[in-house]
Amino acid sequence: MITTLRNKRLDEKEFLKMRDPVLDLWPTGREVDLDEAVEYQKQLPDSKNWHKLARKMNAEGRTAIFPRAGTGLLEAQIRLSRKLEESCVPFIPVTSDSYTRQLEFEKVDGILDEMRKTGRNLLNGFPLINYGVKQTRRLIESVTVGAFNPRLSLKSYKLATEISFAAGMTAVAACPFISWAAYEKDATLEESMAVNQYVHRLIGYYADRGVVISTDNHGWILTGMQPMTVNLATTIADAIMVAEQGGRSITSVVHLMGNMAQDLAWIRVTPRLLREYLDKLGYRDVEIAGVFAQHTPLFPMPQSMGGAFAFPNYTAVVAALGKTEAVSIRTIDEALGVPTEESHTLSYESANWLLQIVRGQKFELQSAQVDEEAAVAEAEIRAFMDRILEVGDGDVIVGCLKCVEEGFLDSSFSPNKQVRDQVIGIKDSRGAIRWREFGNLPLPEEIKKFHREKVAEREKAEGREMDYDALVQDFWAFSKGRLTGKPE
Amino acid sequence: MITTLRNKRLDEKEFLKMRDPVLDLWPTGREVDLDEAVEYQKQLPDSKNWHKLARKMNAEGRTAIFPRAGTGLLEAQIRLSRKLEESCVPFIPVTSDSYTRQLEFEKVDGILDEMRKTGRNLLNGFPLINYGVKQTRRLIESVTVGAFNPRLSLKSYKLATEISFAAGMTAVAACPFISWAAYEKDATLEESMAVNQYVHRLIGYYADRGVVISTDNHGWILTGMQPMTVNLATTIADAIMVAEQGGRSITSVVHLMGNMAQDLAWIRVTPRLLREYLDKLGYRDVEIAGVFAQHTPLFPMPQSMGGAFAFPNYTAVVAALGKTEAVSIRTIDEALGVPTEESHTLSYESANWLLQIVRGQKFELQSAQVDEEAAVAEAEIRAFMDRILEVGDGDVIVGCLKCVEEGFLDSSFSPNKQVRDQVIGIKDSRGAIRWREFGNLPLPEEIKKFHREKVAEREKAEGREMDYDALVQDFWAFSKGRLTGKPE
Amino acid sequence: MTNPTVITGTVGKDAHVIGTKILSRALREAGFNVVELGILTPPEEFIQAALDNKADAILMSSLYGMGENDVQGFKEKCIQAGLNDVLLYIGGNLSVGKHDFSEAEATFKKLGFDRVYPPASDVKKAIADLRADLKAKGKA
Amino acid sequence: MTNPTVITGTVGKDAHVIGTKILSRALREAGFNVVELGILTPPEEFIQAALDNKADAILMSSLYGMGENDVQGFKEKCIQAGLNDVLLYIGGNLSVGKHDFSEAEATFKKLGFDRVYPPASDVKKAIADLRADLKAKGKA
Ligand code: B12
Ligand code: B12
């Protein structure tokens, strides 16, 4: 592997030069004027700044909702955002559509026309580049309390974040692993790192001028089902890249897989290690905005209303017990398609009920099971992070690239060709996720032993091998109201 | 207070004589033939016996649902019970209608006719006395897994339980406090005790012949909002009365008020103290079938679907964390009226999802808050129980009667004239229920101090007095998705 | 002018007490003279209490869904007893099962009630209505 | 008789991979010769792969709701390329938003697909359908 990409702050002049071809991609790019954008951002109230809102949640001991939502027309997106505000959802996503994600702006224009004509919804998200800075500001201005965060793709990141930040959005999931591992087949991690470095530098530019834009670091989004530690280690790696380019606020995303002991352990361990590594590498002035718990794709497939409510409600309870600043939950329509406004309202109303009732109690729990999972998670995350820094000789970018190449970081079910795909996960009898195949992961032997024992325990209890079929059954377990998959 | 009623086992001959006027109340009474009924009960499968089902839940580490449900016509009641069975609800209530509860059987016959003619639903429960033994057996036989439990009134208890047990039901809430305190205005506790003694003796008759019928002991159902300890102490008193008459199975009901630390503490403390007092008084052969957690009336008033799901879902999670054998939850239609079949199905599906997912994890938690609440609850329950035994000179019936008279046991918002109504409860800042007025309760001074401090804490935090208005606001808090009431 | 007198209680075989207790207390705090009959109150007892206390209004609660049955002919009995002028209010869960409130409202208005309230209705609003209605009758 | 050959993949700009992975593996285990194109596969690539591999069927996935757009004219292009006889199956979340599956089914059948599957459909059932359809064509 030969790469020239380094985790080194880009020189400002050089960065400004890099922007030209980006802004030329589509006419709306030229609506971005950085100086004017900084001024615009500065006059926004605290209630529209992601970082400040997250700190407020922390101070008030509350857990807010960060949903996923996006729809085709500006008017509809405004209505949706207002609905979210009404539902007490302060963190507002702007999920972009799949054509925007591929830079097919002309096609989008055509579809928008057709949508206006026919009234049919033909876009699965908001085409923010076609709308541009001025129009998108109408969205930001349409709510009183609400920090916006665009959901993008690798190809669209640079131009889309230019427009988003200029329009007044204050956070973005700028993390090289996310798009590469979950959304791309041929794109390389290096390409993704370069794209994200641009975005991080743009955030640093704003930061230097007093505007704090946060990144919610999702790490290597896992398409398969495996312990979250590869993911969590890479959220830390993400943060280091952001910090190096001058970003000042990190939102620590922790994906939940459904076992309380494990989920609570991950919520506890991740921000602690994030802080530790940031400090160790000299980024003491970077703040952690908060922990955002997030439902990972556990596929709540078509099912009746009852289960559809139970699943996100459960996630809300776990996040509240973990005292995270926010939680991303699915709507009750998740399995059916892009949710309706009503489905958003009902879902968040339900979750907010639980978040208020549980957080208000300031309930503190200890659990030997959480402690055990936390110890395992910490050992794994450290093993990954230390290996990254080791093979990268202190450079987190080089380290990550090498680790992927060697399978020191790995994932199953990845759509990306660069991924080794030599690891496999499975649930244990209590629904915690274990490694069944370790591939080339640099895990300590005692940790491997722990996982093997847990898998063996379940194999014994169920009298069958934990093979591929068992794994597929585990995928669907929650949809069927079961903790683990059972043979039909 | 002069009473001749004693907690002493009734002589069998005497008891059999007492039955005659009861069975003569309505022609269906004469369908009861005790010998035949014992044989009928004996051939029922284990899956229809309440006690055995509860023990099975315990052995399998599961929490089942015990709902409230009842409808007018036999056919509809059968359909409802089958729906419940389909929804994996093994404990099936047969809530009787309000006219049956007042022994107005002729009126019921008329209404049943009209219902058949018009198709309108004019009864709020199942008129099991009008249907009688043979017809009601059709209900019991309509399911494969399901133990039935009639929900009755003071007036109807004797005849209704005669018919219910002969028809194959295997549990009943035969506890003197429940009807007296929550359903009656003029009836005295002594009357209620006498009625229940009859039912307990009937259960003892079956028990002597090898048929175990359980009692779910609800204690003094509180209409107001106050710490549950008066209630929990009286569930223990209930059990002692049942045991004395020969009952062999106690189902320990624990009412939840919505604060996790407190609810989990009550779930932990109650069965332990129940066992202790049963043993101490010589009822070592009486078994505890299990703990049934129960939502107390917290008034989820008309509200949207989202909150309506969240509330019972929350109760299910708390019961699952408390590892109770069953939980009684409301349906999503609770505030609107007698729930539809669909509303039952959705509600229990949702709750069952959570019960399965949470119980399956065998999650163990410790919490200093739970420990503290448990210590307070234990001290209070002991204070009440010991006072009962003291003033009753070892006789729990005499003791309870005296305690009510003296206000050593008391409740606010009671409809019954015998109740002193000198106590008042209020939530503290964390949503735990505290005593605001102690009336004549025999509580240790340090316990009173604890409550006073907690109330003062909230008064300080909110800068207002915790007066009657605050109490009424607390009533509605959960309905509004809030932990405690806030001024509008 | 003396304080108006009102009768409260839960009608028929209905034992739900909380609503009528809160309502009674609120009425008392608002300056009314309240005769509180509590739960399980037969319709006739409301009439007797209204006669005995020269009441200006009867505020009935009914939660358990069978209220319609309990108050059949109630207005007529009031008139027979000479209570032509007493205001009749009723509130609560007025039918069995989930239902449209407007249906229940129509039913009970037809039965002679002046005002009908849904569950969880605001007591202050009801008291304001009562004052207005009494005023219209020249009674407050 | 040789094993039938099938092409799988997720069409258009759609990156959802799990369904097509599970489907591909199940087909392989059932004895099919599977050419797995993965995500983000342009319609033309399906045609090229079918030609190159003399495929008997194309099993497309589309989850992201915009599949209708992606496969406009696909059947015609297949015919132009000489793939008259190749079975066309598609499965996934076939429209944006909550919708009736029967509508989507009608739309995609009109577009030339032989079979259309809803989300979370049973792979074994689909494979049985495929065998039956191939048999009817004398291919299995
Ligand atoms: C608490 C409760 C009980 C307690 C009652 C304790 C007691 N003695 O008060 C217990 C457990 C004993 C009980 C028993 C029964 N209940 Co109940 N109960 C409830 C519950 C949970 C709350 C009712 C309540 O107190 N609300 C709080 C008060 C403050 O609100 P409110 O009554 O609406 O009153 C307010 C206003 O409406 C207004 N208001 C009230 N009356 C009036 C009158 C006027 C004129 C005005 C202006 C205003 C006004 O003032 C109040 C203050 O804001 C409701 C469900 C719910 N709503 O959540 C069911 C409910 C009312 N019960 C119901 C039923 C059927 C029963 C039972 C028959 C059987 C059963 N399911 O358990 C028995 C009946 C016993 C009997 N003989 O009456 C049904 C009624 C069904 C229907 N109408 O279709 C309900 C809706 C539950 C359900 N979905 O099944 N119940
Ligand atoms: C996991 C997931 C993701 C992951 C995907 C990771 C990956 N690379 O695979 C991530 C997070 C990256 C993602 C991204 C997006 N997603 Co997505 N995602 C899901 C989710 C949760 C599960 C999908 C899944 O994998 N299911 C499991 C598999 C095994 O099931 P399956 O695909 O149905 O396949 C089975 C059967 O249908 C059958 N089958 C599949 N294909 C075929 C074909 C044939 C011929 C046959 C016979 C059978 C068959 O075999 C499989 C085995 O049983 C669903 C919601 C849900 N269903 O729960 C949303 C969902 C599909 N996503 C959606 C959307 C909109 C998106 C995004 C556009 C934006 C967003 N909301 O995040 C982006 C799109 C990115 C892109 N370019 O495509 C929508 C689609 C909306 C619609 N159609 O109306 C859904 C429904 C969520 C929602 N409600 O918004 N998503």
Side-chain angles (χ1 to χ4, degrees), chain B residues 13-14 21 23 37 55 86 108 140 144 154 160 162 218 224 233-235 245 263 339 366 374 394 449 452 467:
Chain B
K13 274 215 199 90
E14 222 170 285
L23 301 181
R55 293 320 294 155
E86 266 174 44
V108 168
I140 309 311
T144 308
L154 187 54
E162 287 276 6
H218 290 253
T234 47
T235 66
Q245 298 303 324
D263 289 343
Q366 287 80 46
K449 192 164 154 261
R452 281 193 200 104
D467 55 9

Side-chain angles (χ1 to χ4, degrees), chain B residues 20-309:
Chain B
D20 277 329
V22 173
L23 301 181
D24 281 335
L25 277 172
W26 189 247
T28 52
R30 285 299 165 197
E31 291 178 14
V32 180
D33 168 345
L34 275 185
D35 293 337
E36 188 268 351
V38 165
E39 289 317 308
Y40 182 80
Q41 281 272 3
K42 280 190 166 168
Q43 56 77 44
L44 287 178
D46 286 1
S47 63
K48 292 190 184 181
N49 183 278
W50 179 283
H51 180 84
K52 290 174 189 160
L53 260 179
R55 293 320 294 155
K56 186 162 182 268
M57 290 301 144
N58 179 286
E60 293 173 4
R62 284 160 60 201
T63 300
I65 292 173
F66 176 42
R68 297 202 297 175
T71 188
L73 294 176
L74 177 62
E75 293 67 33
Q77 181 74 25
I78 287 178
R79 215 170 42 237
L80 181 61
S81 302
R82 285 201 178 131
K83 270 264 171 238
L84 290 176
E85 189 186 18
E86 266 174 44
S87 303
C88 298
V89 171
F91 300 105
I92 305 183
V94 183
T95 305
S96 62
D97 66 285
S98 296
Y99 290 111
T100 292
R101 290 174 186 228
Q102 301 294 333
L103 307 184
E104 305 205 359
F105 307 122
E106 278 174 49
K107 195 151 187 178
V108 168
D109 263 354
I111 295 179
L112 282 175
D113 272 350
E114 175 143 1
M115 284 172 70
R116 288 197 193 96
K117 256 183 267 158
T118 63
R120 286 179 65 202
N121 185 8
L122 302 169
L123 280 177
N124 60 4
F126 181 68
L128 65 93
I129 294 177
N130 285 60
Y131 275 111
V133 177
K134 273 178 241 140
Q135 299 258 54
T136 304
R137 281 188 184 169
R138 282 179 51 207
L139 174 63
I140 309 311
E141 287 162 12
S142 69
V143 303
T144 308
V145 176
F148 290 81
N149 181 325
R151 317 302 288 171
L152 310 164
S153 68
L154 187 54
K155 281 198 190 150
S156 62
Y157 253 116
K158 294 184 188 176
L159 179 53
T161 50
E162 287 276 6
I163 290 179
S164 301
F165 300 157
M169 303 201 200
T170 50
V172 70
C175 21
F177 284 100
I178 185 175
S179 19
W180 166 76
Y183 296 86
E184 300 290 340
K185 178 162 68 175
D186 297 310
T188 65
L189 180 57
E190 190 174 354
E191 277 169 62
S192 184
M193 295 220 167
V195 168
N196 276 280
Q197 194 166 62
Y198 177 103
V199 178
H200 299 161
R201 188 61 188 82
L202 181 58
I203 290 170
Y205 183 95
Y206 279 93
D208 291 347
R209 284 148 189 87
V211 173
V212 175
I213 291 168
S214 195
T215 56
D216 48 321
N217 294 328
H218 290 253
W220 184 330
I221 292 261
L222 301 170
T223 37
M225 194 186 60
Q226 66 190 48
M228 274 293 142
T229 46
V230 165
N231 169 271
L232 295 171
T234 47
T235 66
I236 297 176
D238 282 347
I240 294 169
M241 299 178 217
V242 175
E244 174 61 25
Q245 298 303 324
R248 291 286 168 81
S249 166
I250 303 295
T251 301
S252 175
V253 177
V254 176
H255 289 82
L256 311 181
M257 291 294 279
N259 175 274
M260 290 174 65
Q262 219 171 28
D263 289 343
L264 292 174
W266 293 335
I267 289 172
R268 191 207 289 172
V269 164
T270 310
R272 184 160 58 71
L273 292 181
L274 171 59
R275 184 74 265 163
E276 183 187 311
Y277 279 96
L278 282 174
D279 288 351
K280 197 166 97 180
L281 296 172
Y283 307 110
R284 292 182 178 275
D285 56 345
V286 175
E287 279 184 62
I288 299 179
V291 177
F292 278 41
Q294 165 141 348
H295 217 130
T296 25
L298 276 163
F299 329 129
M301 291 309 292
Q303 60 185 1
S304 90
M305 220 43 162
F309 268 106

Side-chain angles (χ1 to χ4, degrees), chain A residues 24 44 56 100-101 108 177 257 268 310 313 317 331-332 348 375 387 417 427 462 481:
Chain A
D24 280 336
L44 286 178
K56 186 163 183 264
T100 292
R101 289 175 186 229
V108 168
F177 284 101
M257 292 293 280
R268 191 207 290 172
N313 279 352
V317 170
T331 71
I332 51 172
Y348 308 139
R387 183 61 62 95
K417 289 178 181 165
K427 292 190 176 187
E462 295 187 16

Side-chain angles (χ1 to χ4, degrees), chain A residues 158-378:
Chain A
K158 294 184 187 175
L159 179 53
T161 49
E162 288 276 6
I163 290 179
S164 300
F165 300 156
M169 303 202 200
T170 50
V172 70
C175 21
F177 284 101
I178 186 175
S179 18
W180 166 76
Y183 295 86
E184 300 291 340
K185 178 162 67 174
D186 297 310
T188 64
L189 180 56
E190 192 174 351
E191 277 168 61
S192 183
M193 295 222 166
V195 167
N196 276 279
Q197 196 167 60
Y198 177 104
V199 178
H200 299 161
R201 189 60 189 80
L202 180 60
I203 290 170
Y205 184 96
Y206 279 93
D208 290 347
R209 283 146 190 89
V211 173
V212 176
I213 291 170
S214 195
T215 56
D216 47 322
N217 294 328
H218 289 254
W220 184 330
I221 291 261
L222 302 169
T223 37
M225 193 187 62
Q226 67 190 48
M228 275 292 141
T229 45
V230 165
N231 169 271
L232 295 171
T234 48
T235 66
I236 297 176
D238 282 346
I240 294 169
M241 299 178 218
V242 174
E244 174 60 26
Q245 297 303 325
R248 291 285 168 81
S249 166
I250 303 294
T251 302
S252 175
V253 176
V254 176
H255 289 83
L256 311 182
M257 292 293 280
N259 174 274
M260 291 175 65
Q262 220 171 27
D263 290 342
L264 292 173
W266 293 335
I267 288 171
R268 191 207 290 172
V269 164
T270 310
R272 185 161 57 71
L273 292 181
L274 171 60
R275 184 74 267 163
E276 183 186 312
Y277 279 96
L278 282 173
D279 288 352
K280 198 166 95 180
L281 296 173
Y283 308 111
R284 289 180 181 278
D285 55 345
V286 175
E287 279 184 62
I288 299 179
V291 176
F292 277 43
Q294 165 140 348
H295 218 130
T296 26
L298 275 164
F299 329 127
M301 292 309 292
Q303 60 185 1
S304 91
M305 219 44 163
F309 268 106
F311 196 14
N313 279 352
Y314 173 64
T315 305
V317 170
V318 175
L321 290 176
K323 303 195 195 303
T324 68
E325 279 73 14
V327 60
S328 288
I329 53 158
R330 305 302 176 87
T331 71
I332 51 172
D333 274 355
E334 173 67 13
L336 294 173
V338 172
T340 59
E341 277 175 26
E342 197 204 354
S343 141
H344 279 291
T345 307
L346 287 179
S347 308
Y348 308 139
E349 182 183 54
S350 197
N352 264 329
W353 192 102
L354 288 154
L355 292 170
Q356 294 236 33
I357 300 299
V358 177
R359 285 297 319 253
Q361 300 181 36
K362 304 194 187 353
F363 186 67
E364 302 286 349
L365 67 84
Q366 288 80 46
S367 162
Q369 290 160 336
V370 175
D371 295 344
E372 181 177 47
E373 297 293 348
V376 171
E378 179 166 347

Side-chain angles (χ1 to χ4, degrees), chain A residues 133-145:
Chain A
V133 177
K134 272 177 245 145
Q135 299 259 54
T136 304
R137 281 187 184 169
R138 282 180 49 206
L139 174 63
I140 310 309
E141 288 162 12
S142 69
V143 303
T144 307
V145 175

Side-chain angles (χ1 to χ4, degrees), chain B residues 68 95-96 98 101-102 124 182-183 221 223 297 299-301 330 333-339 415 476, chain C residues 13-20 22-23 40 59-65 89-97 117-121 123 126:
Chain B
R68 297 202 297 175
T95 305
S96 62
S98 296
R101 290 174 186 228
Q102 301 294 333
N124 60 4
Y183 296 86
I221 292 261
T223 37
F299 329 129
M301 291 309 292
R330 305 300 175 90
D333 274 354
E334 173 67 14
L336 294 173
V338 172
W476 301 108
Chain C
K13 307 303 178 189
D14 190 344
H16 291 90
V17 77
I18 308 177
T20 188
I22 292 179
L23 177 66
L40 299 175
L59 288 92
M60 243 179 219
S61 297
S62 176
L63 274 277
Y64 70 162
Y89 282 21
I90 191 163
N93 284 45
L94 296 169
S95 338
V96 176
Y117 295 87
S121 49
V123 177

